[in-house]
């Protein structure tokens, strides 16, 4: 057998004392070096990702806590938000979210139930709806803003209002909610459906008493992720729910959300940085809590994934 | 034993059928939101797209809507340059983070690290923008004023699309059959060589889908980019030049645009929608092909 240099990459083989010995040694050194470099590169990438996240959160927390206080949360903004607090902003944000949830939940759960319980994956309608949802999930928020402005504000005559903003966000949150509900329903074992059918339960009763309760944690997790996306949103709201920072008197009033408030303070109000930091801290805090609960819920759901006994 | 009441089963079959019909209609209505979006944006673009004005987006020198100049090319270059640079940076970082999670992280770090990436995905774009404006832009300005620049926009975009690349790449890596790495180990390949020569090639399609979706996200990002890019309409000549992207342009001018000008903003929105829809469908296809590949 000829000494073949291709075996030289196998570690632990002793080389025969020959001319091949030195090339084998360099090959081993090379392999070891590139292995080290690769591992170092992976660690570096991970460190950079973690560092950028921590830098952002620490910077906002450090500056934000200096300004944040109970009165900041409970007072109305004065002089374009430089003074006072964010009470009216928080109320507007909550109202916009309430509209979003009220519209998105029934629609989203309905679509998910139809897709997973009443349609066949391969049917043409189901395929078209699935593709539409995927595309909808990818559409940039500024385009939702354009649409919301043209459709809800102008065409339906709702004007710059909390309703317009909430409806626009509902369109954005729907795909997230539908996908989460679907995955929750598909995790329910098939035996349960057959068991319900064997007991003479109608499909509606089986859904209400068996399938939806079993999928509840996944639905909640999806709902929280959707709410998180809605709370974080700015571009879709600027031209739908507007800029007004007064206390909204009805859902037809314009209301400024927390994210829009941060945008306005940092771009259009000189000397608004302190208030912007504190508002950003409130927003980040909300988002981290909402998303952490959602992750926790879906993790636990996946782990205790209802097993057939 | 009593047989099931026939009356009851008739009514329950009836409720089932009406439930099915209701849910079907709900599904159609929801899916038609996409159609509605395209329809209404298209409707608003008509003033700009009908008539001879159509070519002006490419033939006009630059973007001065008040002086009747509607050239969009500089902003298109701004969008493409910032997205390309962000993808160039985020792809290796995201894949690295995914590999770290799967193969290199000490056990107690894995879950916190993954949670950190997921939380990073949930942070508001306006918060990224604000951080960029108060930390990153002054930092860049110290070396090369004015600071608000293509570089700042790309770096912020990189941080924003990282979680997409990392989480989807990790899912792709996890779906590589266990036997692949077992086979590689039996051949005496080192961990690094296994990853580079076996795992990554096998997960290629999934990672590619991740990069496509991240591209779509970067193209569509608005507020964060608007806050750090300086918003000067010009074709970027260097990393430190201020730029304006198509999305930022919409957000900046919608407030006061009327008639033809307003209509041109919807044109850029429509173009973005089509490009991003195409990317989303492409990612879908690539991912599905990957799925059938492993099954075979």
């Amino acid at each position: 057998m000829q000494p073949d240099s291709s075996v030289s990459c196998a570690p632990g083989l002793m080389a025969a004392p020959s001319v091949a010995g030195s090339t084998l040694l360099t090959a081993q050194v090379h392999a070891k070096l590139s292995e080290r470099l690769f591992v170092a590169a992976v660690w570096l990438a991970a460190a950079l990702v973690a560092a950028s996240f921590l830098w952002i959160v620490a910077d906002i927390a450090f500056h934000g806590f200096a300004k944040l206080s109970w009165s900041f949360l409970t007072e109305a903004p004065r002089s374009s938000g430089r003074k006072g607090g964010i009470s009216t902003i928080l109320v507007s944000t909550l109202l916009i979210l309430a509209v979003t949830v009220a519209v998105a939940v029934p629609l989203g759960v309905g679509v998910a139930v139809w897709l997973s319980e009443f349609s066949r994956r391969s049917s043409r309608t189901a395929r078209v709806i699935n593709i539409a949802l995927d595309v909808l999930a990818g559409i940039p928020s500024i385009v939702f803003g354009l649409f919301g402005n043209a459709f809800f504000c102008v065409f339906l005559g709702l004007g710059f209002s909390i309703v317009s903003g909430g409806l626009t966000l509902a369109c954005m949150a729907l795909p997230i909610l539908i996908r989460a509900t679907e995955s929750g329903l598909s995790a329910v074992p098939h035996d349960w459906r057959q068991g319900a059918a064997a007991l003479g339960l109608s499909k509606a009763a089986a859904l209400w008493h068996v399938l939806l309760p079993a999928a509840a944690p996944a639905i909640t997790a999806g709902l929280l992720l959707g709410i998180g996306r809605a709370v974080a949103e700015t571009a879709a709201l600027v031209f739908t729910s507007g800029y007004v920072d007064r206390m909204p008197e009805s859902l037809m009033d314009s209301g400024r959300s927390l994210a829009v408030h941060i945008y306005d303070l940092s771009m259009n109000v000189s000397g608004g940085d302190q208030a912007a930091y504190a508002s950003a801290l409130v927003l980040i805090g909300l988002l981290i809590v909402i998303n952490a609960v959602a992750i926790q819920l879906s993790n636990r759901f996946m782990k205790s994934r209802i097993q057939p006994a | 034993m009593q047989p099931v009441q026939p009356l009851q089963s008739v009514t329950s079959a009836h409720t089932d059928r009406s439930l099915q019909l209701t849910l079907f209609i709900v599904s159609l209505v929801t899916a038609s939101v996409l159609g509605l979006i395209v329809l209404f944006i298209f409707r608003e673009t008509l003033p700009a797209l009908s008539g001879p004005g159509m070519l002006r987006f490419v033939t006009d020198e630059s973007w001065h809507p008040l002086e009747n100049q509607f050239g969009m090319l500089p902003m298109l270059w701004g969008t493409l340059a910032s997205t390309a640079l962000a993808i160039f940076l985020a792809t290796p970082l995201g894949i690295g983070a995914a590999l770290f999670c799967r193969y290199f992280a000490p056990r107690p770090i894995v879950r916190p690290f993954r949670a950190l990436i997921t939380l990073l995905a949930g942070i508001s774009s306006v918060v990224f923008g604000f951080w960029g404006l108060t930390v990153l832009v002054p930092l860049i300005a110290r070396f090369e004023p004015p600071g608000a620049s293509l570089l700042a926009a790309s770096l912020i975009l990189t941080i924003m699309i990282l979680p997409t690349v990392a989480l989807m790449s990790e899912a792709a890596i996890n779906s590589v059959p266990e036997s692949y790495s077992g086979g590689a180990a039996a051949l005496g390949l080192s961990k690094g060589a296994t990853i580079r020569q076996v795992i990554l090639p096998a997960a290629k399609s999934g990672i590619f889908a991740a990069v496509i979706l991240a591209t779509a996200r970067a193209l569509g990002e608005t507020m964060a980019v608007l806050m750090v890019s300086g918003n000067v309409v010009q074709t970027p000549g260097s990393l430190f030049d201020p730029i304006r992207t198509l999305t930022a342009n919409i957000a900046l001018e919608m407030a006061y645009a009327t008639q033809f000008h307003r209509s041109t903003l919807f044109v850029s929105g429509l173009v973005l929608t089509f490009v991003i829809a195409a990317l989303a469908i492409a990612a879908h296809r690539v991912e599905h092909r990957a799925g059938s590949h492993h099954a075979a």
Side-chain angles (χ1 to χ4, degrees), chain B residues 18 22 47 75 80 93 105 126-127 156 180 210 220 226 229 247 251 254 274:
Chain B
S18 54
T22 318
M75 293 185 285
L80 292 180
L93 283 176
V126 78
V127 172
I156 288 291
Y180 283 32
L226 186 160
S229 66
T247 49
M254 254 305 271
F274 281 137

Side-chain angles (χ1 to χ4, degrees), chain B residues 83-189:
Chain B
T83 299
L85 196 56
I87 289 292
F88 176 72
L89 293 172
T91 303
L93 283 176
I95 296 174
L99 290 175
F100 178 76
C101 240
R102 179 77 168 80
Y103 295 102
F104 295 96
R107 192 159 270 271
I109 297 185
V110 175
R111 285 192 54 176
F113 187 75
R114 194 179 293 127
L116 181 145
I117 293 179
T118 319
L119 291 177
L120 192 62
I123 289 184
S124 172
S125 65
V126 78
V127 172
F128 286 113
F130 181 59
W131 178 78
L133 189 66
T134 52
V135 176
L136 203 57
V137 167
L139 197 68
I140 296 174
R142 222 186 288 168
F143 300 99
E144 196 75 49
S149 57
L150 172 61
L151 180 64
S154 308
L155 289 176
I156 288 291
L157 279 179
T158 304
I159 299 178
M160 294 186 68
I161 61 176
L162 250 174
T164 309
V165 181
L167 294 171
M168 282 185 66
S169 299
E170 204 203 348
I173 289 166
N174 283 341
S175 73
V176 175
E178 207 65 42
S179 57
Y180 283 32
S181 47
L187 287 173
L189 283 182

Side-chain angles (χ1 to χ4, degrees), chain B residues 260-282:
Chain B
F260 190 84
H261 181 195
R262 178 180 152 98
S263 185
T264 57
L265 298 179
F266 278 83
V267 171
S268 44
L270 190 68
V271 171
L272 273 172
T273 306
F274 281 137
V275 171
I276 285 163
L279 288 174
I281 291 173

